[in-house]
């Protein structure tokens, strides 16, 4: 259980920003770093946060954070990443956008693009881009996942295999230091692998909160994507691998 109102506020900050740092929290609350470290230790022992060097992050495991909570997580970073991705997608293109709050942010930035064909297995993205009269929206059918409006399963894979996209934009739940792109739902992962295979260029969108998380199912490797968009440079081992694989890293 949360012991005090300050710890409740710390949890709210972590849920909004993805991670918290000892120094920043000490400054925000005008208290000592020792007190903040105790708060973080208490929250870690309660399973609310996971301690990392210099602060704490939201815990990860074999299930993902709730979809509405993910929408609020790193909202500003996702918006900046999405703006940059949209500048690299021209008019008159075919695009696939998969399930995720980061790809939803990209969809919002495509509302003024012209003559697009967007295929998606995300009902939220279909609704967003329905407001763009110059965008043809095709929904890849499948089994509806009510928690987030995603469509997955064999039917979704079969539908995607009918296309060859100019661009695919995919998200993930976690990114490993060996360059593996990870997620939680094995059915969603099967769809993501098909998306990568059916695209001429594949863009991964992942903010820095994904660097500190873990997920159990492998989608692909960073070597399988054309460009990786994020809001801070990944760890040196990841950057070295991207350079070796010729995967472009775009930091916004």
């Amino acid at each position: 259980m949360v012991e005090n109102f300050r710890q409740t506020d710390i949890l709210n900050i972590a849920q909004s920003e993805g991670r918290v740092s000892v120094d920043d929290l000490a400054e925000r609350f005008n208290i000592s770093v020792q007190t903040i470290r105790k708060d973080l230790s208490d929250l870690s022992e309660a399973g609310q946060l996971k301690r990392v060097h210099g602060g704490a992050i939201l815990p990860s495991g074999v299930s993902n954070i709730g979809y509405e909570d993910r929408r609020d997580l790193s909202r500003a970073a996702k918006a900046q990443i999405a703006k940059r991705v949209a500048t690299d997608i021209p008019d008159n293109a075919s695009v696939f956008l998969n399930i995720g709050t980061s790809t939803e942010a990209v969809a919002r930035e495509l509302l003024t693009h012209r003559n697009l064909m967007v295929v998606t297995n995300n009902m939220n993205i279909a609704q967003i881009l329905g407001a763009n009269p110059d965008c043809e929206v095709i929904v890849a059918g499948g089994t509806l996942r009510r928690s987030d409006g995603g469509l997955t399963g064999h039917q979704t894979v079969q539908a995607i295999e009918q296309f060859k996209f100019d661009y695919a934009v995919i998200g993930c739940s976690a990114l490993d230091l060996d360059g593996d792109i990870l997620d939680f739902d094995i059915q969603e992962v099967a769809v993501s692998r098909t998306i990568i295979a059916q695209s001429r260029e594949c863009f991964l969108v992942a903010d820095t909160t994904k660097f500190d998380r873990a997920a159990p199912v492998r989608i692909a490797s960073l070597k399988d994507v054309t460009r990786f968009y994020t809001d801070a440079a990944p760890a040196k081992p990841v950057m070295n691998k991207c350079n070796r694989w010729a995967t472009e890293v775009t930091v916004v």
Side-chain angles (χ1 to χ4, degrees):
M1 293 180 61
V2 176
E3 288 192 356
N4 57 48
F5 290 118
R6 185 178 59 251
Q7 290 182 6
T8 301
D9 290 340
I10 290 171
L11 269 180
N12 289 336
I13 294 168
Q15 289 165 355
S16 173
E17 300 178 8
R19 65 179 297 151
V20 289
S21 76
V22 171
D23 291 340
D24 177 65
L25 291 175
E27 184 175 344
R28 289 195 196 204
F29 294 106
N30 193 28
I31 56 177
S32 69
V33 294
Q34 290 81 4
T35 301
I36 289 296
R37 288 193 182 104
K38 183 181 185 304
D39 284 337
L40 296 183
S41 294
D42 291 342
L43 290 167
S44 177
E45 289 175 6
Q48 301 289 325
L49 292 177
K50 175 185 174 184
R51 288 301 305 271
V52 295
H53 180 70
I57 60 173
L58 295 175
S60 59
V62 296
S63 61
N64 207 350
I65 303 168
Y67 203 69
E68 291 304 321
D69 290 333
R70 298 208 309 272
R71 273 207 177 101
D72 292 331
L73 191 63
S74 302
R75 186 184 290 269
K78 291 173 184 175
Q80 290 301 314
I81 292 168
K83 286 179 186 293
R84 178 55 195 273
V85 173
T87 65
D88 290 335
I89 296 177
D91 294 338
N92 307 298
S94 59
V95 184
F96 194 100
L97 300 175
N98 79 340
I99 303 168
T101 56
S102 295
T103 49
E104 286 180 22
V106 174
R108 293 186 188 95
E109 297 300 325
L110 296 177
L111 283 171
T112 58
H113 276 52
R114 299 178 61 85
N115 197 29
L116 287 183
M117 183 181 79
V118 173
V119 185
T120 185
N121 63 327
N122 184 334
M123 298 294 289
N124 303 311
I125 285 175
Q127 290 184 328
I128 291 167
L129 286 172
N132 181 352
D134 287 318
C135 178
E136 179 184 8
V137 181
I138 299 172
V139 178
T143 302
L144 175 65
R145 195 167 62 188
R146 290 179 174 82
S147 62
D148 59 7
L151 297 164
T152 63
H154 183 61
Q155 287 178 304
T156 312
V157 170
Q158 284 188 316
I160 294 168
E161 287 175 340
Q162 308 308 307
F163 295 91
K164 189 72 176 182
F165 312 104
D166 295 322
Y167 304 93
V169 183
I170 65 169
C172 67
S173 295
L175 187 64
D176 206 73
L177 277 175
D178 62 6
D180 279 347
I181 304 164
L182 307 171
D183 219 317
F184 290 95
D185 186 331
I186 195 165
Q187 289 195 334
E188 183 179 348
V189 164
V191 172
S192 295
R193 289 173 181 165
T194 307
I195 294 165
I196 294 170
Q198 298 303 112
S199 64
R200 295 184 175 89
E201 295 189 43
C202 182
F203 299 160
L204 173 68
V205 289
D207 64 82
T208 52
T209 62
K210 309 299 173 65
F211 298 173
D212 295 313
R213 301 192 70 211
V217 190
R218 182 182 185 274
I219 300 172
S221 166
L222 280 169
K223 68 181 177 183
D224 300 314
V225 304
T226 312
R227 192 172 300 160
F228 168 32
Y229 295 83
T230 187
D231 56 318
K236 189 173 181 180
V238 177
M239 284 296 299
N240 290 340
K241 285 180 170 64
C242 286
N243 291 334
R244 188 164 70 249
W245 295 330
T247 297
E248 185 177 339
V249 178
T250 299
V251 178
V252 300

